[in-house]
Structure formats: C-alpha cells, structure tokens
Amino acid sequence: MFSAIAFGICVGSGCGGKTPTEPGGPTQSPASLKLTGPDYLFISESGEYKLEATYADGRREPMTAASWGCDNPAAIQVANGHATAMASGGATVFSDCQHGRATQYVRVVPDYRGNWSGAYTWRSCAASGVFDAIHACDLIPNGTELPIMVRLSQTKDQTTGTIALGDLMGDVSGVVDVPGRLALRGSMRYDLEGMTATVTLNGWDTMAEGETMSGTFGQVWTISGASGSMTAECQVRSVSRTSRTVQGFANRSASPARGLRDLLMRLGAR
C-alpha cells in the first residue's frame, strides 16, 4: 500500500470524532493521521477513503469532518472521501483536518482483464543465418493479416495470461506502465520431426482504450540447432475484448504455425 502518515497539529476546526473539549473526549491530540483505501484503481472505478486518527494510548478514531483533495484531478477526482478514477496516471489523495494532513499515492491503470481477439498485420521481416539462406521471410509476405487472441488476468499493474497466434499458444506476463501501456513477454513453441521452433514476443507495446486494444509487437523465430533468426515487426489492429472474464480459446486457425511447419520442412530438406 502506498500510504503516508501525517504528524502534528494545525490551528482550526473540522476533525470528526470527539475533541479534547467534549465530555469523555481525548485529552491529547492524535499522535498520527492515516488514510485508508485502495492504492490502485482501474479507469472508471471508484474507491472509498477514510481518515483515521491514532492516539498515544493506541486508540483509533475516524475523522469525519475533514476536507479532501488530489494533486492530479485529471487522473482522480475526490469528494468527501469518494474517489473516481478518470485516466491513467498517478495521483496523491489527501485529507486535511485541524490536526494535520494525511496522504496516499494512488495509481490508475487501464483494465486489461478478459479475452481479446482480432487480427494483426505482419509488417516487415528480417532474417539471418540459416533463416536467410532458406528465404524464411518469404513464408509470410509483408502485409499479411493474421489472427491473434490474448487471455489476461490482472492484479494492479501486473498481468498474466496466454497468447495465441493462430494455433501457436504460449504463456505471457507483463506490466502496465504509468501512462497505461502494456508490455508483454512470453514465447510459443512448435515441434516437428525432432526440431523445435520457438517464437518469442519482442517489444510488445499496446494500449487498451475501453473495449479495444492497439499497438505493436515483434516476433523472433529461432530453431534448435539452427544458426540465426527471423525477426518480424507486427501491428496490432482490430483487436477487441470479447469477454471481461477469462475464458478458453476456441476456433483458432492454423496460421502462422503453417509457416513454422513449412520452415522446419525446408530445414529438414537441406
């Protein structure tokens, strides 16, 4: 939790709970003030924050009559302890009363949870070593549109899940940065006649805006026992969320696994 504790006394009125002048009230000012509430919010999500005082004898009391604010209203708007996440970013929520100020830093992140499906475009390709010798880049011409599906779970700014490029499938994990962009890493394997081809994600950079996701990523193809690699740059397009809950993949097509099969057959024929 990102939280901060404020110490000290300020002149004025407005703290809730009993005051030193009320019958049965505390005889000293609070030793500390603290905000409690979520340290992460998804865009459009709301959170409730409370100001609590702790006294030297260990007693805790809510401060109900306090003022509220935020240092980045473009990301979070706050009123009476009720916060609404507006856009990706970070903000410090604060609450003031006569005894001081308490603060809490809060991150706002896009919601990447669920199943996403659509297409990506194979934009460019470069090959080295044996991949260049067998003209591997000819297997998938530039401009080809290929299917993609991503299944993601998300906790705060951390994501885990599965990706399918056609019928190639592998596990992925990633992190959401402060501007809200998702970076994924992971790999997929394809085996044929004793050879193993691996497709590794490279430079995944996408942004979710509501129910659509766009961006770019790379693929690096390698084969066990073969020199060099094939690297492709890809454009994510027409990818939308099909479910906000994680569900199994279905109706996967055979591309680009067909390209890997042809590639391995070319290598086997050498």
Side-chain angles (χ1 to χ4, degrees):
M1 295 285 290
F2 295 94
S3 62
I5 299 175
F7 297 89
I9 303 174
C10 65
V11 178
S13 61
C15 283
K18 295 179 180 180
T19 69
T21 60
E22 291 178 334
T27 58
Q28 72 276 345
S29 297
S32 65
L33 297 172
K34 183 179 181 180
L35 281 187
T36 59
D39 56 356
Y40 276 81
L41 292 171
F42 290 121
I43 294 174
S44 299
E45 187 179 27
S46 296
E48 298 296 330
Y49 295 82
K50 296 180 180 180
L51 178 62
E52 183 181 72
T54 300
Y55 294 89
D57 60 6
R59 288 179 300 107
R60 295 180 178 178
E61 291 188 357
M63 300 287 102
T64 56
S67 61
W68 295 82
C70 173
D71 67 353
N72 184 8
I76 299 175
Q77 294 185 359
V78 185
N80 298 321
H82 180 81
T84 301
M86 307 301 294
S88 297
T92 298
V93 175
F94 59 84
S95 182
D96 295 326
C97 75
Q98 85 179 77
H99 299 294
R101 168 177 288 192
T103 65
Q104 180 164 314
Y105 181 77
V106 183
R107 274 280 307 276
V108 179
V109 293
D111 184 358
Y112 287 93
R113 295 174 295 181
N115 281 37
W116 303 78
S117 66
Y120 72 96
T121 301
W122 186 280
R123 298 197 310 181
S124 64
C125 177
S128 62
V130 70
F131 290 84
D132 184 37
I134 63 174
H135 307 290
C137 284
D138 294 342
L139 293 171
I140 304 179
N142 293 342
T144 300
E145 190 172 277
L146 300 165
I148 184 172
M149 287 179 281
V150 186
R151 179 174 58 196
L152 293 173
S153 299
Q154 183 176 350
T155 301
K156 297 183 177 181
D157 61 348
Q158 303 293 315
T159 62
T160 57
T162 307
I163 189 170
L165 302 178
D167 62 358
L168 292 175
M169 182 181 292
D171 294 331
V172 292
S173 61
V175 63
V176 182
D177 66 13
V178 173
R181 305 195 70 84
L182 173 64
L184 285 178
R185 56 188 179 276
S187 62
M188 294 143 281
R189 294 178 53 168
Y190 185 82
D191 297 301
L192 179 67
E193 297 180 357
M195 292 183 288
T196 298
T198 301
V199 178
T200 303
L201 295 181
N202 179 46
W204 182 284
D205 180 17
T206 58
M207 172 72 84
E209 296 182 0
E211 301 304 302
T212 62
M213 181 162 54
S214 61
T216 60
F217 72 100
Q219 301 180 37
V220 180
W221 293 27
T222 56
I223 295 176
S224 57
S227 64
S229 63
M230 181 173 73
T231 301
E233 298 299 325
C234 306
Q235 179 77 44
V236 176
R237 57 184 305 274
S238 303
V239 173
S240 60
R241 191 184 341 242
T242 58
S243 171
R244 285 190 172 271
T245 58
V246 176
Q247 301 176 349
F249 291 144
N251 300 321
R252 289 179 284 120
S253 71
S255 181
R258 184 183 300 111
L260 282 173
R261 184 177 63 251
D262 293 344
L263 180 63
L264 292 176
M265 291 178 65
R266 287 189 187 186
L267 284 172
R270 285 173 58 85

